[in-house]
Amino acid sequence: MFFTQHDIDRWIEEDIPFIDLTSSITNFTKDSLNITFKARHDTCISGCEAAVSVLERVGCTVTSSLKSGDFISMGDLIIEAEGTPQAIHKGWRVALNLLEYSSGIATRTRNLVAAARKANPHIVLSGTRKAFPGTRRLSVQALMAGGAVPHRLGLSETVLFFPAHYDNAGGLEMLLSQMPQIRLKCLEKKIEIELEKLEDIEKAVKAGVDSIQTDKMTPEQVAETVKLVKALNPAVKVLAAGGINIDNAESYAASGADMLVTSWMYFGKPADIKATIS
């Protein structure tokens, strides 16, 4: 994942808007300190690259680092760095926050993928763009570290018609009748549409959409949708979305859907990582 210098500086500036007041008035007796970050539980790590950039930006030298996507056990070393006391104290909390929040998302994602693939080894797990504002790059890196893929990186990337689109543009029938013209406008982009009724789904598949996204259907309803869609056109993908979590991912994967779309991994406890300064 690419993080700009602006990203790094913004994270640091948020914690140190002017100076580190406590460190500036402390008479440290050593010229150099060491800091280590270790997992307190089994963890899928993410945010390492961002944390390393923060530590280096404040003047530390990083001597060891894992990479996002590594799975580690309790007590394993994630990052080790050295620097002046002032540098260490400037960077440790920002780096720790990046590691803990990112790794929390990555670990939940990994567990979700594992649950879904008990029923379907080929199912694709996808994270929505519902990440907390300002954290999308970190969130996307974390969900990919956990074995999922981004559903939509932004509105410029994907054609996805929601009911609020076609209900306010002449209705579904009108939208589907314009599919040849729509296809010319988006060229190589796939066209996806969210629908609930089987009769509407049949119309959309026959009109030439590439994917059908369901919303808050039960696993049984998704299975019925998959059966209909694949009978009409096996190339059309079915994406199950709405309310998918660690408790029901296996059931939704068993429905035959091609992809599970969820925001579940973004919301939960951060990973527990210990930072030790010595």
Side-chain angles (χ1 to χ4, degrees):
M1 185 61 61
F2 175 69
F3 297 105
T4 67
Q5 191 62 59
H6 173 72
D7 293 326
I8 306 304
D9 290 347
R10 179 168 52 87
W11 293 327
I12 297 169
E13 183 184 26
E14 185 177 61
D15 204 39
I16 316 169
F18 297 102
I19 60 171
D20 175 358
L21 182 58
T22 307
S23 294
S24 70
I25 62 174
T26 302
N27 293 319
F28 292 104
T29 59
K30 295 184 178 180
D31 295 330
S32 180
L33 295 177
N34 176 269
I35 186 168
T36 60
F37 299 86
K38 295 183 179 181
R40 293 185 190 268
H41 54 78
D42 294 353
T43 307
C44 182
I45 292 297
S46 187
C48 293
E49 299 79 7
V52 165
S53 294
V54 165
L55 291 168
E56 291 178 338
R57 181 62 168 164
V58 298
C60 298
T61 299
V62 175
T63 57
S64 176
S65 176
L66 297 180
K67 64 181 184 300
S68 292
D70 287 341
F71 185 76
I72 61 174
S73 301
M74 181 177 65
D76 284 354
L77 178 67
I78 303 168
I79 293 175
E80 184 170 15
E82 58 186 27
T84 65
Q86 291 81 6
I88 292 291
H89 282 277
K90 283 180 181 178
W92 77 274
R93 173 52 66 183
V94 178
L96 182 60
N97 285 346
L98 290 168
L99 285 173
E100 288 192 321
Y101 282 95
S102 295
S103 298
I105 294 171
T107 302
R108 283 190 293 278
T109 302
R110 188 177 190 272
N111 293 338
L112 190 68
V113 170
R117 288 183 177 166
K118 288 179 182 178
N120 180 356
H122 304 293
I123 192 75
V124 177
L125 267 292
S126 182
T128 72
R129 58 187 178 92
K130 199 177 177 180
F132 192 80
T135 68
R136 189 170 299 178
R137 291 187 189 190
L138 288 166
S139 298
V140 169
Q141 181 185 53
L143 74 89
M144 293 179 69
V149 299
H151 180 222
R152 303 175 84 192
L153 291 171
L155 292 177
S156 304
E157 180 186 76
T158 306
V159 179
L160 172 51
F161 292 108
F162 287 106
H165 290 106
Y166 52 78
D167 287 347
N168 294 286
L172 179 63
E173 299 274 359
M174 177 69 74
L175 177 76
L176 296 179
S177 70
Q178 297 170 351
M179 198 56 60
Q181 294 92 329
I182 292 171
R183 181 74 67 182
L184 288 173
K185 291 178 181 179
C186 62
L187 296 178
E188 82 282 2
K189 300 292 185 181
K190 300 292 185 180
I191 298 175
E192 185 175 330
I193 188 168
E194 183 180 279
L195 295 166
E196 297 179 3
K197 298 178 182 179
L198 289 179
E199 56 265 33
D200 290 340
I201 291 170
E202 180 175 355
K203 292 174 185 176
V205 173
K206 290 180 176 179
V209 302
D210 299 293
S211 302
I212 299 292
Q213 180 168 299
T214 67
D215 181 45
K216 294 183 172 62
M217 284 187 178
T218 65
E220 294 73 21
Q221 290 171 324
V222 174
E224 191 175 0
T225 298
V226 170
K227 182 178 179 180
L228 170 65
V229 169
K230 299 302 181 181
L232 292 169
N233 186 346
V236 175
K237 305 299 183 184
V238 177
L239 288 67
I244 294 169
N245 56 54
I246 193 69
D247 297 321
N248 60 28
E250 185 175 352
S251 296
Y252 275 102
S255 71
D258 299 287
M259 178 182 288
L260 306 185
V261 181
T262 180
S263 308
W264 177 83
M265 68 279 289
Y266 297 139
F267 306 100
K269 291 179 63 176
D272 193 356
I273 295 171
K274 181 181 181 180
T276 302
I277 298 173
S278 59

